[in-house]
mmCIF file of all heavy atoms in Angstrom:
data_model
loop_
_atom_site.group_PDB
_atom_site.id
_atom_site.type_symbol
_atom_site.label_atom_id
_atom_site.label_comp_id
_atom_site.label_asym_id
_atom_site.label_seq_id
_atom_site.Cartn_x
_atom_site.Cartn_y
_atom_site.Cartn_z
ATOM 1 N N ARG A 14 -0.545 97.078 -90.249
ATOM 2 C CA ARG A 14 0.462 96.036 -90.029
ATOM 3 C C ARG A 14 1.746 96.343 -90.841
ATOM 4 O O ARG A 14 2.865 96.149 -90.341
ATOM 5 C CB ARG A 14 -0.130 94.712 -90.432
ATOM 6 C CG ARG A 14 0.833 93.503 -90.442
ATOM 7 C CD ARG A 14 1.326 93.226 -89.015
ATOM 8 N NE ARG A 14 2.232 92.054 -88.994
ATOM 9 C CZ ARG A 14 3.522 92.117 -89.324
ATOM 10 N NH1 ARG A 14 4.049 93.293 -89.700
ATOM 11 N NH2 ARG A 14 4.254 91.041 -89.286
ATOM 12 N N ARG A 17 3.580 99.303 -89.088
ATOM 13 C CA ARG A 17 4.201 98.903 -87.816
ATOM 14 C C ARG A 17 5.434 98.043 -88.046
ATOM 15 O O ARG A 17 6.377 98.071 -87.278
ATOM 16 C CB ARG A 17 3.169 98.135 -86.939
ATOM 17 C CG ARG A 17 2.136 99.019 -86.323
ATOM 18 C CD ARG A 17 2.729 100.032 -85.402
ATOM 19 N NE ARG A 17 3.144 99.497 -84.151
ATOM 20 C CZ ARG A 17 4.101 100.021 -83.350
ATOM 21 N NH1 ARG A 17 4.757 101.115 -83.780
ATOM 22 N NH2 ARG A 17 4.450 99.469 -82.232
ATOM 23 N N GLY A 18 5.385 97.257 -89.136
ATOM 24 C CA GLY A 18 6.513 96.388 -89.445
ATOM 25 C C GLY A 18 7.808 97.145 -89.752
ATOM 26 O O GLY A 18 8.910 96.589 -89.647
ATOM 27 N N LYS A 19 7.666 98.416 -90.102
ATOM 28 C CA LYS A 19 8.848 99.244 -90.409
ATOM 29 C C LYS A 19 9.433 99.911 -89.106
ATOM 30 O O LYS A 19 10.588 100.396 -89.159
ATOM 31 C CB LYS A 19 8.460 100.386 -91.340
ATOM 32 C CG LYS A 19 7.969 99.841 -92.715
ATOM 33 C CD LYS A 19 7.504 101.031 -93.637
ATOM 34 C CE LYS A 19 6.989 100.505 -94.959
ATOM 35 N NZ LYS A 19 6.446 101.631 -95.768
ATOM 36 N N LYS A 20 8.693 99.874 -88.042
ATOM 37 C CA LYS A 20 9.113 100.607 -86.842
ATOM 38 C C LYS A 20 9.315 99.685 -85.616
ATOM 39 O O LYS A 20 10.229 99.933 -84.807
ATOM 40 C CB LYS A 20 8.134 101.646 -86.459
ATOM 41 C CG LYS A 20 7.901 102.729 -87.529
ATOM 42 C CD LYS A 20 6.848 103.788 -87.092
ATOM 43 C CE LYS A 20 6.619 104.815 -88.161
ATOM 44 N NZ LYS A 20 5.569 105.781 -87.702
ATOM 45 N N ALA A 21 8.442 98.716 -85.445
ATOM 46 C CA ALA A 21 8.436 97.910 -84.213
ATOM 47 C C ALA A 21 9.048 96.535 -84.463
ATOM 48 O O ALA A 21 9.144 96.048 -85.574
ATOM 49 C CB ALA A 21 7.003 97.761 -83.711
ATOM 50 N N SER A 22 9.463 95.905 -83.341
ATOM 51 C CA SER A 22 10.042 94.558 -83.403
ATOM 52 C C SER A 22 8.942 93.536 -83.655
ATOM 53 O O SER A 22 7.760 93.805 -83.450
ATOM 54 C CB SER A 22 10.757 94.229 -82.118
ATOM 55 O OG SER A 22 9.806 94.053 -81.046
ATOM 56 N N GLN A 23 9.318 92.349 -84.047
ATOM 57 C CA GLN A 23 8.352 91.299 -84.323
ATOM 58 C C GLN A 23 7.573 90.930 -83.038
ATOM 59 O O GLN A 23 6.365 90.660 -83.107
ATOM 60 C CB GLN A 23 9.035 90.070 -84.889
ATOM 61 C CG GLN A 23 9.694 90.269 -86.263
ATOM 62 C CD GLN A 23 8.654 90.651 -87.307
ATOM 63 O OE1 GLN A 23 7.845 89.849 -87.722
ATOM 64 N NE2 GLN A 23 8.712 91.884 -87.795
ATOM 65 N N ASN A 24 8.256 90.883 -81.922
ATOM 66 C CA ASN A 24 7.588 90.554 -80.654
ATOM 67 C C ASN A 24 6.578 91.635 -80.266
ATOM 68 O O ASN A 24 5.490 91.345 -79.749
ATOM 69 C CB ASN A 24 8.578 90.341 -79.548
ATOM 70 C CG ASN A 24 9.337 89.016 -79.687
ATOM 71 O OD1 ASN A 24 8.870 88.089 -80.336
ATOM 72 N ND2 ASN A 24 10.495 88.909 -79.053
ATOM 73 N N THR A 25 6.914 92.914 -80.533
ATOM 74 C CA THR A 25 5.993 93.991 -80.198
ATOM 75 C C THR A 25 4.761 93.889 -81.069
ATOM 76 O O THR A 25 3.641 94.049 -80.590
ATOM 77 C CB THR A 25 6.673 95.359 -80.423
ATOM 78 O OG1 THR A 25 7.778 95.500 -79.515
ATOM 79 C CG2 THR A 25 5.695 96.495 -80.225
ATOM 80 N N ILE A 26 4.942 93.664 -82.363
ATOM 81 C CA ILE A 26 3.814 93.532 -83.289
ATOM 82 C C ILE A 26 2.930 92.368 -82.860
ATOM 83 O O ILE A 26 1.682 92.429 -82.878
ATOM 84 C CB ILE A 26 4.306 93.332 -84.736
ATOM 85 C CG1 ILE A 26 4.999 94.592 -85.201
ATOM 86 C CG2 ILE A 26 3.132 93.044 -85.660
ATOM 87 C CD1 ILE A 26 5.710 94.453 -86.544
ATOM 88 N N ARG A 27 3.568 91.265 -82.516
ATOM 89 C CA ARG A 27 2.784 90.068 -82.025
ATOM 90 C C ARG A 27 1.892 90.435 -80.860
ATOM 91 O O ARG A 27 0.705 90.087 -80.831
ATOM 92 C CB ARG A 27 3.763 88.957 -81.668
ATOM 93 C CG ARG A 27 3.075 87.673 -81.179
ATOM 94 C CD ARG A 27 4.091 86.605 -80.781
ATOM 95 N NE ARG A 27 3.393 85.474 -80.212
ATOM 96 C CZ ARG A 27 2.810 84.485 -80.883
ATOM 97 N NH1 ARG A 27 2.796 84.550 -82.186
ATOM 98 N NH2 ARG A 27 2.204 83.515 -80.299
ATOM 99 N N ARG A 28 2.413 91.153 -79.876
ATOM 100 C CA ARG A 28 1.621 91.549 -78.713
ATOM 101 C C ARG A 28 0.497 92.484 -79.103
ATOM 102 O O ARG A 28 -0.624 92.364 -78.569
ATOM 103 C CB ARG A 28 2.519 92.180 -77.647
ATOM 104 C CG ARG A 28 3.459 91.206 -76.912
ATOM 105 C CD ARG A 28 4.095 91.871 -75.703
ATOM 106 N NE ARG A 28 4.983 92.949 -76.087
ATOM 107 C CZ ARG A 28 6.309 92.788 -76.326
ATOM 108 N NH1 ARG A 28 6.837 91.619 -76.236
ATOM 109 N NH2 ARG A 28 7.017 93.841 -76.671
ATOM 110 N N GLU A 29 0.800 93.381 -80.025
ATOM 111 C CA GLU A 29 -0.254 94.375 -80.435
ATOM 112 C C GLU A 29 -1.364 93.721 -81.241
ATOM 113 O O GLU A 29 -2.536 94.061 -81.078
ATOM 114 C CB GLU A 29 0.423 95.499 -81.211
ATOM 115 C CG GLU A 29 1.299 96.382 -80.372
ATOM 116 C CD GLU A 29 1.966 97.525 -81.139
ATOM 117 O OE1 GLU A 29 1.817 97.578 -82.381
ATOM 118 O OE2 GLU A 29 2.604 98.352 -80.485
ATOM 119 N N VAL A 30 -0.994 92.749 -82.090
ATOM 120 C CA VAL A 30 -2.003 92.027 -82.856
ATOM 121 C C VAL A 30 -2.934 91.270 -81.898
ATOM 122 O O VAL A 30 -4.151 91.250 -82.040
ATOM 123 C CB VAL A 30 -1.336 91.073 -83.870
ATOM 124 C CG1 VAL A 30 -2.413 90.134 -84.475
ATOM 125 C CG2 VAL A 30 -0.661 91.849 -85.005
ATOM 126 N N ASN A 56 -1.282 89.461 -90.103
ATOM 127 C CA ASN A 56 -0.193 88.489 -89.923
ATOM 128 C C ASN A 56 0.399 88.676 -88.521
ATOM 129 O O ASN A 56 0.861 89.712 -88.103
ATOM 130 C CB ASN A 56 0.889 88.754 -90.970
ATOM 131 C CG ASN A 56 2.074 87.791 -90.797
ATOM 132 O OD1 ASN A 56 1.906 86.709 -90.311
ATOM 133 N ND2 ASN A 56 3.234 88.282 -91.153
ATOM 134 N N LYS A 57 0.345 87.534 -87.762
ATOM 135 C CA LYS A 57 0.872 87.565 -86.387
ATOM 136 C C LYS A 57 2.218 86.893 -86.385
ATOM 137 O O LYS A 57 2.321 85.691 -86.592
ATOM 138 C CB LYS A 57 -0.105 86.853 -85.480
ATOM 139 C CG LYS A 57 0.221 86.938 -84.008
ATOM 140 C CD LYS A 57 -0.876 86.298 -83.165
ATOM 141 C CE LYS A 57 -0.613 86.429 -81.706
ATOM 142 N NZ LYS A 57 -1.692 85.796 -80.860
ATOM 143 N N PRO A 58 3.308 87.664 -86.195
ATOM 144 C CA PRO A 58 4.654 87.066 -86.265
ATOM 145 C C PRO A 58 4.851 85.965 -85.217
ATOM 146 O O PRO A 58 4.196 85.967 -84.148
ATOM 147 C CB PRO A 58 5.590 88.250 -85.979
ATOM 148 C CG PRO A 58 4.730 89.451 -86.166
ATOM 149 C CD PRO A 58 3.309 89.058 -85.849
ATOM 150 N N LYS A 59 5.784 85.048 -85.498
ATOM 151 C CA LYS A 59 6.135 84.043 -84.495
ATOM 152 C C LYS A 59 6.997 84.695 -83.424
ATOM 153 O O LYS A 59 7.636 85.743 -83.635
ATOM 154 C CB LYS A 59 6.923 82.928 -85.201
ATOM 155 C CG LYS A 59 6.081 82.104 -86.171
ATOM 156 C CD LYS A 59 6.923 80.998 -86.803
ATOM 157 C CE LYS A 59 6.101 80.185 -87.773
ATOM 158 N NZ LYS A 59 6.933 79.104 -88.393
ATOM 159 N N VAL A 60 7.018 84.060 -82.278
ATOM 160 C CA VAL A 60 7.816 84.563 -81.155
ATOM 161 C C VAL A 60 9.301 84.461 -81.572
ATOM 162 O O VAL A 60 9.750 83.436 -82.001
ATOM 163 C CB VAL A 60 7.562 83.724 -79.897
ATOM 164 C CG1 VAL A 60 8.505 84.191 -78.796
ATOM 165 C CG2 VAL A 60 6.116 83.917 -79.451
ATOM 166 N N VAL A 61 9.979 85.562 -81.339
ATOM 167 C CA VAL A 61 11.439 85.590 -81.598
ATOM 168 C C VAL A 61 12.126 85.584 -80.219
ATOM 169 O O VAL A 61 12.062 86.538 -79.491
ATOM 170 C CB VAL A 61 11.869 86.860 -82.356
ATOM 171 C CG1 VAL A 61 13.380 86.805 -82.582
ATOM 172 C CG2 VAL A 61 11.149 86.932 -83.692
#
Side-chain angles (χ1 to χ4, degrees):
R14 174 65 178 81
R17 286 298 285 154
K19 297 175 182 177
K20 299 179 181 179
S22 70
Q23 295 298 292
N24 285 340
T25 296
I26 295 172
R27 179 181 174 82
R28 288 191 295 269
E29 291 180 353
V30 170
N56 179 29
K57 189 175 181 180
K59 295 181 179 179
V60 175
V61 180

